[in-house]
Amino acid sequence: MYAQMVKSTGEGVKSREEMSPEEAVFQDRIDADVKIEPKDWMPEGYRKTLIRQIGQHAHSEIVGQLPEGNWITRAPTLERKAILLAKVQDEAGHGLYLYCAAETLGVTRDDLTEQLLSGKMKYSSIFNYPTLTWADIGAVGWLVDGAAIMNQVPLQRTSFGPYSRAMIRICKEESFHQRQGYDIMMKMAKGTEAQKRMAQDALNRFWYPSLMMFGPSDKDSVHSAQSLAWKIKIDTNDELRQKFVDQTVPQAEYLGLTVPDENLKWNEEKGGYDFSEPDWAEFFDVVKGNGPCNKDRLEARIKAWDEGAWVRDGLLAHAEKRAARKVAAE
Amino acid sequence: MKHEWPLWEVFIRGQHGLSHRHVGSLHAPDAEMAVKNARDVYTRRNEGVSIWVVEARHITATSPSDKGPMFEPSESKVYRHPTFFDIPDDVGAM
Ligand SMILES: [Fe+2]
Ligand SMILES: [Fe+2]
């Protein structure tokens, strides 16, 4: 999802007998739903896994501004432009809340930024796909923010206090994002033939990449098992993907659009849809850096970071000079 | 040159005459910029009428290991709560 395939300790979940007394007390707190706060004792693996996950989540919010920012200047009306601007600004805020949560674990903001720019840390695969038409902005809000919400709502209950609080704040803001996207889709789907075709084309291109956001099946993953035990992760990837499909298919039907999956069928027995898996080979290729926009996205972030250096340094020099003058005057 | 802007903790007073409440943190070069950034990051939806910022390094906090000695003494002082005292109903509102 916004954090895909986050590695944990890789050693599997420890049994009670294998835990040190500290680890056992820690696990008891988690099992009793007592939040862990930054200064509390925590296993090193918990700290590292959280930094990876929150960091990747934060990077996704930041890089996720790029495909939508692409359409701010070309939104069809002034109102749509103002709405999209507000939405993209929210995503910047989400990135900031999450970076702050990660920093409470002892990593610096610059460290996180450098790891993003060097490619050491990832962001969600979804943002490596282009937004070619205005309908794509509708599809992104509806499907991409929709998938994000699916993942973020349970994460409000995650065990780490600062992460949970950031998620609560983010979730409050997200439903506006999904609704504005669906609102665009409704307009397009009820518009001219050309607009309808555009809406269908956007759904066709974003459907499978949205399913990939939840990551490959992790029912046998030792990393996910540990994250579930620590309540860093609340549901498995397959559970979230199923929920997303079940929620989204009727919404597509309402629009009169066709989900691009011949195998999509209601399964009475399981009370959910059967559906086709996305092309996981494509997913791994995109994660490796070979998606349609990986290069552009990273270049845009590097450019913003490098070209903003003089502003960061200048403001700090100014603040230091003023502080020194104040001390001298006292 | 490589150094980060300092970290600031942000406190906001909501609309309803409440106390300022901690809402999160941010980086800024100085107090003035911290207030401006706090406005953009934490009050995009009318969340407040007043903002406080304080540099994180100026905050002194209790440590989790002190929790016992710090807070347990008040647990035994039940008489600090009004319900400790039985006042007959005949006395009226009190
Ligand atoms: Fe977001
Ligand atoms: Fe969003």
Side-chain angles (χ1 to χ4, degrees), chain A residues 2 61 91 94 174:
Chain A
Y2 269 27
E61 302 283 354
E91 305 300 3
H94 297 177
E174 283 293 354

Side-chain angles (χ1 to χ4, degrees), chain A residues 2 57 61 87 90-92 94-95 145 148 152 170 174 177:
Chain A
Y2 269 27
H57 196 156
E61 302 283 354
K87 198 261 187 197
D90 271 355
E91 305 300 3
H94 297 177
D145 288 82
Q152 289 169 344
I170 287 174
E174 283 293 354
H177 298 180

Side-chain angles (χ1 to χ4, degrees), chain A residues 87-157:
Chain A
K87 198 261 187 197
V88 172
Q89 195 188 14
D90 271 355
E91 305 300 3
H94 297 177
L96 296 180
Y97 310 153
L98 288 162
Y99 281 133
C100 286
E103 286 174 78
T104 66
L105 292 159
V107 64
T108 69
R109 180 78 61 96
D110 280 0
D111 263 346
L112 290 167
T113 305
E114 273 157 22
Q115 290 187 53
L116 168 68
L117 301 185
S118 72
K120 199 175 156 214
M121 283 182 91
K122 302 284 179 208
Y123 53 89
S124 176
S125 58
I126 189 73
F127 301 119
N128 292 313
Y129 291 87
T131 43
L132 303 176
T133 72
W134 176 248
D136 286 13
I137 297 305
V140 166
W142 172 35
L143 301 172
V144 176
D145 288 82
I149 291 170
M150 212 37 102
N151 177 263
Q152 289 169 344
V153 165
L155 278 176
Q156 294 178 100
R157 291 182 282 118

Side-chain angles (χ1 to χ4, degrees), chain A residues 17-318:
Chain A
E17 293 73 51
E18 291 165 323
M19 285 182 192
S20 70
E22 278 167 318
E23 286 171 329
V25 170
F26 178 82
Q27 191 62 50
D28 286 342
R29 282 185 66 177
I30 293 202
D31 293 344
D33 281 328
V34 178
K35 296 277 183 255
I36 308 299
E37 295 297 339
K39 286 188 170 178
D40 293 336
W41 183 89
M42 60 185 79
E44 220 18 57
Y46 178 83
R47 180 191 304 277
K48 285 193 180 139
T49 309
L50 266 176
I51 290 175
R52 274 184 218 119
Q53 177 168 330
I54 303 175
Q56 196 186 118
H57 196 156
H59 296 328
S60 299
E61 302 283 354
I62 297 300
V63 177
Q65 294 178 97
L66 296 170
E68 290 181 295
N70 178 36
W71 277 90
I72 290 174
T73 55
R74 289 175 290 155
T77 66
L78 186 57
E79 189 186 41
R80 290 285 184 198
K81 183 193 283 217
I83 292 170
L84 184 57
L85 195 58
K87 198 261 187 197
V88 172
Q89 195 188 14
D90 271 355
E91 305 300 3
H94 297 177
L96 296 180
Y97 310 153
L98 288 162
Y99 281 133
C100 286
E103 286 174 78
T104 66
L105 292 159
V107 64
T108 69
R109 180 78 61 96
D110 280 0
D111 263 346
L112 290 167
T113 305
E114 273 157 22
Q115 290 187 53
L116 168 68
L117 301 185
S118 72
K120 199 175 156 214
M121 283 182 91
K122 302 284 179 208
Y123 53 89
S124 176
S125 58
I126 189 73
F127 301 119
N128 292 313
Y129 291 87
T131 43
L132 303 176
T133 72
W134 176 248
D136 286 13
I137 297 305
V140 166
W142 172 35
L143 301 172
V144 176
D145 288 82
I149 291 170
M150 212 37 102
N151 177 263
Q152 289 169 344
V153 165
L155 278 176
Q156 294 178 100
R157 291 182 282 118
T158 191
S159 60
F160 187 55
Y163 191 26
S164 152
R165 291 190 285 274
M167 279 298 125
I168 289 169
R169 223 189 144 81
I170 287 174
C171 285
K172 267 193 208 149
E173 301 181 349
E174 283 293 354
S175 63
F176 144 59
H177 298 180
Q178 192 182 18
R179 281 163 167 250
Q180 67 86 33
Y182 197 70
D183 188 61
I184 293 172
M185 291 307 273
M186 285 196 299
K187 265 268 157 25
M188 300 292 283
K190 294 195 173 91
T192 64
E193 273 311 310
Q195 283 175 314
K196 255 182 251 179
R197 272 201 306 276
M198 230 186 244
Q200 181 63 54
D201 172 59
L203 172 58
N204 291 349
R205 281 180 291 107
F206 276 95
W207 176 254
Y208 287 106
S210 299
L211 296 188
M212 290 177 197
M213 286 175 68
F214 299 97
S217 178
D218 60 350
K219 61 183 195 313
D220 304 318
S221 157
V222 285
H223 297 289
S224 287
Q226 179 61 78
S227 291
L228 286 163
W230 278 337
K231 295 188 186 164
I232 288 174
K233 203 177 159 74
I234 308 291
D235 305 278
T236 68
N237 296 347
D238 291 323
E239 284 165 348
L240 290 171
R241 190 169 12 252
Q242 181 71 53
K243 268 198 203 170
F244 174 74
V245 171
D246 293 344
Q247 182 187 288
T248 309
V249 170
Q251 296 169 349
E253 280 167 6
Y254 179 85
L255 294 171
L257 299 179
T258 311
V259 172
D261 181 359
E262 286 172 1
N263 300 316
L264 187 75
K265 213 173 89 223
W266 178 256
N267 181 331
E268 191 60 49
E269 214 172 298
K270 76 172 179 185
Y273 287 91
D274 290 332
F275 59 92
S276 302
E277 289 279 312
D279 178 353
W280 291 113
E282 175 185 319
F283 169 79
F284 287 112
D285 205 36
V286 171
V287 169
K288 240 197 264 155
N290 303 322
C293 299
N294 296 58
K295 209 169 150 273
D296 287 1
R297 302 296 186 235
L298 220 53
E299 270 173 13
R301 288 313 306 152
I302 291 169
K303 184 166 180 268
W305 181 248
D306 289 349
E307 292 182 359
W310 71 272
V311 179
R312 294 192 300 275
D313 293 346
L315 284 175
L316 195 62
H318 175 70

